[in-house]
Amino acid sequence: MVLLQTGKRLATVEFRRLSVSLSDDSVSLLLSESSSSSSSSSYAFPPRKVSECETVTNLLAHTKNLLRRRSAGFAAFDAGLFADSIRHFSKILDGRRRPAPQGFLADCYMHRAAAYKSAGKIAEAIADCNKTLALEPSCIHALETRATLLETVRCLPDSLHDLEHLKILYNTILRDRKLPGPPWKRHNVKYREIPGKLCELTTKSKKLKAKMANGEIGNVDYYGLVGVRRGCTRSELDRANLLLCLRHKPDKALAFMERCDFFDQSEISSVKDRAKMSSLLLYRLIQRGYTALAAAIAEEEQRKKMMVLTQMSTKTVEEHEPVEKSGSITLTDFAEIKPGNSNAYQGVFCRDLAAVGSLLSRTGFNQPIPMKYDAISC
């Protein structure tokens, strides 16, 4: 019995080692028979054909690795480790591997958007919601999340548009008695909860319309959108904008489709159109935010410069301002006095007349200077 248990444990460890090695990131993509036959002319020796058993084994290992990564992302998110959750989902979504099913990728994008939202990265969360909706236009969870994100940064018209789209989806479910889209799309919506959700959406829509009527359309929180703190420097803003532009440029909007195995090939053109439009809107919003924040930072820097110049000028004026004398006279008081000017000493007050005479003798005046003395009672 001990030998059997030991052998079973060793076999399990060996199988785990082999599966992990096969599902590692360094595994190259398997080529189909048609592609291998077309490219065999460029090699001196034709590549070995992969057997059906090996193909199935590699496919199972790849599927196991995807499920393991997704489970790790869920566990990290539930534990509050949002950075680790983002990393696990990014391994699935950004890895150079065999294409994954359309629904699986949409689900991973949606959960990574939730992790980005919890981590406070609004632009990245909106981008993942856009990709989810490009793959699944009727994804209720993605619409709710994007509407909440847009409301957080006070993009009220876009948030209202998503809420109206949600109301249409819920009304469609009530009318057709089923969820829209193919059966493999999971929306996690219960039929009895739809009337309450419609009431909540109606209330939110009224509040947003009231805010828009009060003129709160242009009051967008660009600091939260770009991901910089209030009072940031110009270099911090430029760095954040550069990273966002590299990630969300419209030219890279369709890169995620290369790793997607579409359920229906006729949907590819519509997915491209939705991805291009949503990425372009997000990119323009980021650029408007960068322009507004750059103008605010320049205005704040100019105000600080003006305050510094004002303080320096005030200090200079105070230094050159004449100081009132209260009981003594120094040599500097007579520096600009010319001989013969009898009005120069009117109003000078001093208790010690001997000190005044010594000062006058030191100035080098040759002619006597008439002075007026007043009696002072002490």
Side-chain angles (χ1 to χ4, degrees):
M1 182 64 69
V2 174
L3 291 176
L4 288 176
Q5 290 179 355
T6 304
K8 183 179 179 180
R9 186 175 67 254
L10 293 176
T12 304
V13 172
E14 182 66 18
F15 177 75
R16 186 182 296 112
R17 187 184 66 81
L18 290 175
S19 62
V20 170
S21 64
L22 286 174
S23 61
D24 198 6
D25 295 340
S26 61
V27 176
S28 60
L29 297 176
L30 295 177
L31 300 175
S32 61
E33 293 183 2
S34 60
S35 61
S36 63
S37 61
S38 62
S39 60
S40 61
S41 59
S42 60
Y43 295 94
F45 299 97
R48 182 179 64 87
K49 289 186 178 182
V50 180
S51 63
E52 184 178 357
C53 181
E54 291 177 349
T55 303
V56 172
T57 303
N58 289 327
L59 181 60
L60 289 176
H62 177 62
T63 304
K64 178 183 176 182
N65 182 55
L66 292 178
L67 295 176
R68 180 172 58 86
R69 288 286 188 187
R70 190 178 68 167
S71 300
F74 289 159
F77 183 83
D78 294 337
L81 304 174
F82 304 118
D84 293 338
S85 179
I86 293 169
R87 180 174 57 84
H88 286 300
F89 285 117
S90 298
K91 285 286 186 179
I92 300 173
L93 299 171
D94 302 333
R96 300 292 180 181
R97 296 186 178 194
R98 183 193 299 272
Q102 180 180 355
F104 182 81
L105 285 184
D107 183 68
C108 291
Y109 276 121
M110 186 63 256
H111 286 91
R112 192 174 72 169
Y116 274 132
K117 176 186 174 183
S118 301
K121 298 181 179 181
I122 306 298
E124 285 80 359
I126 294 176
D128 280 352
C129 288
N130 292 339
K131 294 175 182 177
T132 305
L133 292 171
L135 295 173
E136 293 186 20
S138 58
C139 183
I140 294 177
H141 190 194
L143 283 171
E144 290 177 347
T145 304
R146 191 172 70 175
T148 305
L149 291 170
L150 292 172
E151 186 179 2
T152 302
V153 295
R154 295 194 290 273
C155 292
L156 303 184
D158 297 333
S159 179
L160 182 62
H161 180 269
D162 286 344
L163 293 180
E164 295 296 333
H165 193 182
L166 277 174
K167 291 172 65 177
I168 293 174
L169 289 178
Y170 284 133
N171 288 323
T172 304
I173 296 172
L174 290 176
R175 182 192 63 194
D176 300 337
R177 300 284 179 170
K178 65 178 182 179
L179 298 177
W184 56 268
K185 294 185 178 181
R186 303 292 181 180
H187 299 279
N188 298 323
V189 178
K190 296 181 180 180
Y191 184 80
R192 62 177 179 272
E193 297 177 355
I194 293 178
K197 291 183 177 294
L198 281 174
C199 293
E200 293 179 1
L201 289 176
T202 304
T203 305
K204 286 184 180 180
S205 299
K206 289 182 179 179
K207 290 182 179 179
L208 291 182
K209 289 179 181 178
K211 289 182 180 180
M212 293 171 61
N214 293 332
E216 299 183 14
I217 300 177
N219 191 16
V220 182
D221 183 16
Y222 290 119
Y223 289 98
L225 177 67
V226 179
V228 293
R229 59 179 179 82
R230 294 184 179 274
C232 64
T233 61
R234 184 61 178 267
S235 60
E236 294 176 352
L237 177 62
D238 292 339
R239 183 177 181 276
N241 180 68
L242 179 61
L243 292 176
L244 290 177
C245 289
L246 292 176
R247 292 175 184 172
H248 308 300
K249 287 181 65 176
D251 299 339
K252 298 182 179 180
L254 306 180
F256 73 100
M257 296 180 61
E258 299 176 358
R259 297 180 292 274
C260 181
D261 186 9
F262 288 95
F263 182 79
D264 188 2
Q265 296 297 324
S266 61
E267 296 182 358
I268 296 179
S269 60
S270 59
V271 171
K272 286 183 179 180
D273 295 337
R274 289 192 294 266
K276 283 182 180 180
M277 182 59 65
S278 59
S279 63
L280 183 61
L281 292 176
L282 177 61
Y283 184 77
R284 289 178 178 176
L285 183 62
I286 292 173
Q287 292 305 308
R288 287 200 300 268
Y290 172 74
T291 304
L293 295 182
I297 291 175
E299 183 179 356
E300 182 67 19
E301 291 178 353
Q302 186 68 22
R303 187 181 66 82
K304 289 181 179 179
K305 288 181 180 179
M306 293 299 296
M307 289 180 60
V308 171
L309 291 176
T310 303
Q311 292 176 358
M312 291 179 62
S313 61
T314 304
K315 186 176 180 180
T316 305
V317 170
E318 289 178 354
E319 289 178 352
H320 291 79
E321 202 174 42
V323 182
E324 295 181 357
K325 305 300 185 295
S326 60
S328 63
I329 301 177
T330 61
L331 291 173
T332 57
D333 297 328
F334 299 93
E336 298 181 357
I337 299 177
K338 296 181 180 180
N341 189 2
S342 60
N343 297 325
Y345 290 92
Q346 292 182 2
V348 175
F349 170 77
C350 184
R351 294 178 182 272
D352 194 354
L353 297 180
V356 174
S358 64
L359 290 174
L360 293 177
S361 62
R362 293 177 186 176
T363 55
F365 292 105
N366 297 325
Q367 299 178 1
I369 300 176
M371 296 183 63
K372 182 180 179 181
Y373 302 96
D374 295 332
I376 300 175
S377 60
C378 297

